Structures are given as C-alpha cells and as structure tokens.
C-alpha cells in the first residue's frame, strides 16, 4: 500500500507540473529561469510609465519593483481611486517610492491624447513605456470611438500613446517600449482562416464585426496585434535609435484579467478555471518577471535586442508565424487610419510613421 501511495503521489506531482506548464504557470517559473540575471539594476533618475496598474496585478508589481530600483513611476490608468490603492500598497512596501498618477482611458482615443499631452507637460524624458494594460474575452462592446473593445483597449489605445510619445522616447535614448502580449497571440494561427483575421478595413474592427465576434478569437487578434505593433515600431525606430521595442507573453497568472469568463464562457467554465487553472498559475510576482527583464535588463542594450518576442521566464522565442511583414504593414496602415483625427497637430520626427 505504501508503494501505491508513493506512486499516486508521484503521478499527482507530475500531473500538477505538467498542467502548470500547459498553463504557463508556476512550473515554468521554477523550471525555465533564463541563463541571465533577473536582478533589476539601479533605475535612479529614470522615468517609467506603466499602463494598467491594477492592485495585485503584474502592472502593480512592475511599478513597485521599478520604484524600488529608484525609478520615478507614472501609474497610468482609468480609475484614480483604484490607482491610489495601488500607490498606497507600493508606498507601504517601498516608503521612498517616487510615484504619480496619470489619467488614461485606453478605450477612448481622445482620452489617450489628453493623457499623453499631460504626461509631456509634466516630463521631458521617458525611459520606459510599459504597455501592460489589457482586457480579456469581453462580451462584445464598442469603445467610445466605435471600435471593438478588446482591439481598442489592447492595441489601438497603446498604438496612439506610443505615437504621441515617440519623440520623447527617442530623445531619452537608450529607452524601452515593452508591449505585453500573450500566448493568445497564437490563437489566430491555431484557428487558421476560420478565425477571420483581418486588418484591412475599419469594418473589421467596428460594429460591422459584431456578427462574427467571438470573445477568445477577438482576444487572440488583439494580442497578435500587440506582437505585430511591437515588431513594426522596432523596425521604424531602427537599430541605431537606441529605442528598444519588444513584446512578451508574461505567463498564466492569477489576476482579475479572467473576470469576464463567467459572462462569455459560462459559470461552469468560470468554476473550472477557478478550481483547476487557478492553483496552476503564477503569482503576480512571478508573472511580472519577464516584462521587468525586458524593461530593465542591461542584456537588452548589450545585445541590441529589439523587435523580439519573449516567453516566461524571460526567454526569447519565435513569435507566431502570422507575425509577417504583410500583416505588420496591414495593421499599421489601419491603425494610422483609425487614429488620424487624434494625431492632428503631433508630427513625430523620430519615427517614419
């Protein structure tokens, strides 16, 4: 009986590790640490912007660790009260943290422009732009500008923000743009033509897309857009600019990102996620490792890493096969079209937009 119990325990451990690896959870943190240092060097004198600083999320942890290293951190989000909770939590752990809040609603292009304008009024340098905010598997809804919300929040708002801040990023070089994507960027590749991946026209991402909408397909498209955007922005800045732009999948993490699952997937799926997936996922501290590496590691500048894609924990890997020059250009063209009226008066000199 003792041998049977030992065998059962071994099988349970193997199953837990295997499932955690499948979910990019805690097992990946312990088994796949990179061969480079994860220690954050001093960030004294640097200014970092972190979008999506929700309490106990990876944006919160990233802001905390950047502040601990000496950076002045701008927490950019929609809700001032929630940001205040995050800032209070950081201050409790890092009393000397230098923090400020910036009002930024990525679901409204007008609000993104207002936020960028205010940031430029306050700061003349920007060393790290961490595009961390996101939403996942929402029911279909439109942004303030009439675009499908996941595409609008996860990609288009960040696209406009980077456009408006591109000159200050260039003048602050060496600087970094860190685009938080997801393993969901592979969903369109896995689904193939049936995923209706298309960035060719406004009707692909506005109310015209409602009939073909699937919450996970749309999430995958928005996360693919993150990868395409990072690669194209890196290309347009160029290797000699000193602006390093990279995308990453942070891993499967226990945060409130999955809050829409009860609505779009049903209560049973939500319960399954809570009972099965939850214990297998990374903590927010573990989940922030890859983006903090990409944002701060000297390795990025030493090896001139730009336009790359990282996987937990901080490992550079190939992106989806759909990260092609043609798809990058199509997304770029559409994004420029959709943000045109909100870019008026801004003419960045550092990037061939």
């Amino acid at each position: 009986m003792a041998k049977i119990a030992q065998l059962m325990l071994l099988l349970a451990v193997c199953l837990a590790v295997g499932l955690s690896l499948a979910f990019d959870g805690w097992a990946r943190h312990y088994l796949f640490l990179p061969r480079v240092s994860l220690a954050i060097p001093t960030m004294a004198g640097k200014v970092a912007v972190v979008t999506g600083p929700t309490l106990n999320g990876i944006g919160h942890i990233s802001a905390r660790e950047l502040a601990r290293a000496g950076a002045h951190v701008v927490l950019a989000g929609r809700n001032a009260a929630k940001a205040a909770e995050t800032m209070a939590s950081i201050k409790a752990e890092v009393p000397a943290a230098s923090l400020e809040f910036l009002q930024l609603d990525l679901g409204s292009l007008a609000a993104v422009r207002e936020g960028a304008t205010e940031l430029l009024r306050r700061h003349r340098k920007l060393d790290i732009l961490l595009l961390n905010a996101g939403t996942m598997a929402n029911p279909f809804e439109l942004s303030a500008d009439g675009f499908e919300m996941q595409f609008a929040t996860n990609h288009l708002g960040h696209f406009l923000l980077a456009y408006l801040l591109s000159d200050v990023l260039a003048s602050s070089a060496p600087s970094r743009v860190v685009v938080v994507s997801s393993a969901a960027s592979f969903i369109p590749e896995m689904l193939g033509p049936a995923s209706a991946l298309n960035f060719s026209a406004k009707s692909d991402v506005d109310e015209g897309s409602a009939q073909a909408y699937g919450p996970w397909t749309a999430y995958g498209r928005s996360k693919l857009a993150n990868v395409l955007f990072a690669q194209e922005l890196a290309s347009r800045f160029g290797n000699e600019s000193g602006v390093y732009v990279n995308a990453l999948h942070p891993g499967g993490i226990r945060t409130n990102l999955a809050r829409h699952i009860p609505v779009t997937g049903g209560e049973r799926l939500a319960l399954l996620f809570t009972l099965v997936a939850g214990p297998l996922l990374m903590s927010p501290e573990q989940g922030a490792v890859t983006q903090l590496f990409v944002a701060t590691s000297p390795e990025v500048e030493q090896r001139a890493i730009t336009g790359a894609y990282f996987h937990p924990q901080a490992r550079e890997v190939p992106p989806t096969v759909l990260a092609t020059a043609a798809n990058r250009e199509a997304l770029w063209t559409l994004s420029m079209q959709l943000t045109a009226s909100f870019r008026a008066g801004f003419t960045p000199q550092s990037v061939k937009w």
Side-chain angles (χ1 to χ4, degrees):
M1 289 297 291
K3 288 185 177 180
I4 294 176
Q6 290 173 356
L7 180 60
M8 293 294 290
L9 178 61
L10 178 61
L11 289 174
V13 170
C14 290
L15 180 62
V17 171
L19 287 173
S20 182
L21 287 173
F23 281 101
D24 287 332
W26 51 260
R28 191 167 294 279
H29 174 77
Y30 292 110
L31 299 180
F32 292 94
L33 286 172
R35 298 183 179 89
V36 295
S37 173
L38 293 176
I40 299 176
T42 179
M43 294 282 109
K46 295 187 180 295
V47 176
V49 171
V50 179
T51 69
T54 304
L55 186 67
N56 297 326
I58 57 176
H60 167 194
I61 304 304
S62 297
R64 184 190 70 194
E65 296 310 307
L66 290 169
R68 194 193 302 276
H72 176 75
V73 184
V74 181
L75 289 80
R78 289 185 304 168
N79 190 309
K82 289 184 178 180
E85 292 178 357
T86 300
M87 294 168 72
S89 175
I90 293 173
K91 282 282 192 179
E93 296 187 60
V94 188
S98 178
L99 307 169
E100 68 177 282
F101 172 68
L102 177 73
Q103 190 80 43
L104 182 73
D105 181 357
L106 291 164
S108 164
L109 296 176
V112 171
R113 178 170 173 135
E114 291 171 7
T117 302
E118 177 61 18
L119 181 70
L120 293 171
R121 187 187 68 79
R122 298 182 198 175
H123 298 282
R124 295 187 178 183
K125 66 173 297 188
L126 177 57
D127 302 282
I128 300 168
L129 178 59
L130 177 46
L131 304 178
N132 166 82
T135 187
M136 183 177 78
N138 304 6
F140 183 82
E141 60 179 313
L142 297 175
S143 70
D145 306 288
F147 305 122
E148 188 274 308
M149 187 60 81
Q150 294 192 78
F151 180 80
T153 301
N154 295 350
H155 166 66
L156 201 59
H158 280 144
F159 175 92
L160 178 61
L161 183 64
Y163 174 94
L164 299 173
L165 300 178
S166 57
D167 276 352
V168 71
L169 284 162
S171 65
S172 303
S175 56
R176 316 249 179 128
V177 180
V178 181
V179 185
V180 180
S181 180
S182 167
S185 63
F186 287 83
I187 288 177
E189 175 186 334
M190 292 188 293
L191 293 179
S195 68
L197 172 69
N198 203 336
F199 295 126
S200 62
K202 181 174 177 287
S203 59
D204 297 320
V205 294
D206 64 9
E207 68 275 7
S209 64
Q211 186 171 357
Y213 182 79
W216 288 103
T217 302
Y219 181 61
R221 178 175 65 174
S222 73
K223 294 288 101 179
L224 172 60
N226 291 152
V227 176
L228 299 177
F229 167 57
Q231 290 185 331
E232 188 65 15
L233 183 60
S235 175
R236 289 177 182 249
F237 267 119
N239 293 334
E240 305 303 317
S241 68
V243 181
Y244 303 94
V245 187
N246 293 292
L248 64 100
H249 164 47
I253 308 161
R254 291 190 299 272
T255 69
N256 72 346
L257 189 62
R259 62 190 179 276
H260 294 294
I261 289 180
V263 178
T264 58
E267 294 295 338
R268 290 183 180 179
L269 179 60
L271 180 62
L272 180 66
F273 185 87
T274 301
L275 295 179
V276 179
L280 303 174
L281 302 180
M282 291 186 192
S283 68
E285 284 78 6
Q286 294 168 339
V289 164
T290 300
Q291 60 200 58
L292 283 169
F293 173 85
V294 176
T296 67
S297 173
E299 182 93 357
V300 172
E301 291 173 26
Q302 291 165 1
R303 293 178 48 210
I305 302 173
T306 192
Y309 176 75
F310 287 81
H311 194 77
Q313 292 289 39
R315 288 177 173 266
E316 186 178 349
V317 298
T320 169
V321 298
L322 293 180
T324 63
N327 282 337
R328 284 162 42 185
E329 181 63 31
L331 175 66
W332 192 273
T333 300
L334 178 62
S335 301
M336 288 293 283
Q337 173 193 338
L338 299 181
T339 59
S341 62
F342 301 95
R343 294 184 288 104
F346 279 82
T347 308
Q349 301 301 314
S350 55
V351 184
K352 184 180 178 183
W353 288 87

